[in-house]
Amino acid sequence: MSSHRSHRLPISTRHAFALAFDLAVRRDPWNSLAVPLLLRSPWILANAMLPTPSESERPGLAALITAAALLGDFLMLVMIGAMLRFRARSVFNTPVGVHPAPVIECYAQGLRRLPWLVMTEIVRNMGIVFASFFLVLPGILLGFRLSFATEAVVLHEPHTAAAFRRSFHITPGRFERWFEMIVASVFVALGGVFIPTVLSVVFRNSNIHVWVAVLGLLIAGITPIVQYAWTFFYLRLVEIDTPDPEVTPYQEPGPLYAGQAPPTETPLPALAHEQVPAVAPHA
């Protein structure tokens, strides 16, 4: 029954991004946009400003520092992503005036799920890359079927295998909507890419590292909105897939209600003031 419901109830990319903009920009811009950007800025600036190993006098040390900066930014990204997922779940299907859950609580919950989130990200990406070695289509299909594994392992499932199973379960019949989400996410990201691209053309003499840093900061500022949208999209899929506990599923009765006593009919009470007149027989 849940599979039938999931195929006929609507999913809206526009609604997911509308909820994301509402939470990130209107309800909670400080904890959704400003603080995540501040947490990622040192790592992004370090990656942008560090010289490449070929340009450095000590290439080994430069490579080690660059790897440490990349690892730090990745861990910060997944930690913030876990927090944002819990924050989105706290306001899903709530009235407009409801505040999100306390941010410290969301960070604490995200940190508890961080090891499994990192594991799920690594295994999923390795699987997609491995599938893409054969043909492009298997990689796309596997990416589609595992697209909600990270949301599942943070919000609902205890480990990677269970998250993969849930993602496989809720994605059938949703390829068009998933593709719409991909396109919408790319367009939102392109908005951040457009600004430094135009500025780099106008100011041709500027250092390339400056524009790399600006681009990284803009992408980091946009990422929470995209993360919120995907989380709301996933929560809607889970909501559709989960039967409503207040609605009793239809069950076809057995033949003649076997094992049950037939219902008894209660005669209607006669009205006291009504009397049936006697009819005299005809002669």
Side-chain angles (χ1 to χ4, degrees), residues 239-259:
E239 180 186 41
I240 288 174
D241 185 68
T242 305
D244 189 347
E246 297 181 359
V247 178
T248 304
Y250 172 77
Q251 294 182 357
E252 187 175 357
L256 299 180
Y257 294 90

Side-chain angles (χ1 to χ4, degrees), residues 15-163:
H15 186 59
F17 272 93
L19 292 175
F21 276 98
D22 176 71
L23 177 56
V25 178
R26 193 185 67 82
R27 289 202 205 187
D28 188 37
W30 175 250
N31 291 306
S32 298
L33 299 176
V35 173
L37 182 60
L38 291 174
L39 292 175
R40 292 191 61 193
S41 293
W43 308 100
I44 294 172
L45 294 175
N47 287 322
M49 299 302 177
L50 284 172
T52 61
S54 60
E55 298 174 347
S56 176
E57 297 179 355
R58 303 178 64 181
L61 179 61
L64 184 62
I65 296 175
T66 301
L70 289 172
L71 178 61
D73 186 42
F74 171 74
L75 292 176
M76 194 62 62
L77 173 65
V78 293
M79 183 191 72
I80 293 171
M83 180 275 296
L84 293 173
R85 291 178 175 99
F86 282 109
R87 208 153 175 78
R89 189 179 70 172
S90 69
V91 298
F92 182 65
N93 280 349
T94 59
V96 176
V98 173
H99 294 286
V103 66
I104 299 300
E105 178 184 332
C106 293
Y107 273 113
Q109 292 176 321
L111 284 173
R112 286 195 289 269
R113 301 304 303 157
L114 192 61
W116 281 113
L117 176 57
V118 172
M119 176 66 69
T120 304
E121 285 279 15
I122 294 174
V123 174
R124 181 180 68 169
N125 291 326
M126 289 178 61
I128 293 172
V129 171
F130 180 77
S132 300
F133 280 149
F134 297 96
L135 285 173
V136 176
L137 184 59
I140 294 176
L141 292 178
L142 186 62
F144 161 60
R145 297 304 297 272
L146 297 180
S147 55
F148 299 102
T150 51
E151 282 78 14
V153 83
V154 171
L155 298 178
H156 293 113
E157 301 299 341
H159 49 72
T160 300

Side-chain angles (χ1 to χ4, degrees), residues 1-2 18 61 71 94 96 100 118 137 152 197 201 210 236 258 268 276 280:
M1 177 180 174
S2 61
L61 179 61
L71 178 61
T94 59
V96 176
V118 172
L137 184 59
T197 302
V201 173
V210 174
R236 176 62 176 146
L268 296 174
V276 179

